[in-house]
Amino acid sequence: MDTEDIDETNLHETLGREWQIEVASIKPYATCRSTHSAMDAVLDVRARGTISAETVTGLTVHTSALIADMCGNPTPVLSSRSS
């Protein structure tokens, strides 16, 4: 695309009036957003003090096929896109 074809009108239309920070969210974990509820659940259980990391030998998280494909793919390139 040639830069002469770019219409900058939309870039300046709401400048100083609309702020994207008002609609943005902060990801508390450096993972795909769809995995955050499972992470919150694990942290909640740990905070209750009924289990410790030393006693856990595994963890199974059930999710939809869409999320599993989007966030659970072990391919480094695809995984990096979800983080």
Side-chain angles (χ1 to χ4, degrees):
M1 174 185 272
D2 190 1
T3 56
E4 295 174 3
D5 297 332
I6 298 173
D7 179 9
E8 296 179 6
T9 307
N10 290 336
L11 294 173
H12 304 165
E13 191 172 313
T14 61
L15 188 63
R17 292 183 291 119
E18 290 183 16
W19 305 93
Q20 291 302 306
I21 191 72
E22 294 176 347
V23 295
S25 64
I26 296 174
K27 287 175 43 172
Y29 314 111
T31 64
C32 178
R33 184 65 137 147
S34 300
T35 63
H36 289 199
S37 59
M39 296 177 72
D40 285 337
V42 169
L43 292 173
D44 183 54
V45 169
R46 187 180 75 173
R48 293 179 195 183
T50 55
I51 63 169
S52 66
E54 295 78 27
T55 62
V56 176
T57 58
L59 178 67
T60 301
V61 175
H62 297 271
T63 188
S64 70
L66 172 69
I67 301 305
D69 185 50
M70 187 170 60
C71 301
N73 193 320
T75 306
V77 173
L78 293 177
S79 295
S80 66
R81 291 179 185 167
S82 298
S83 62

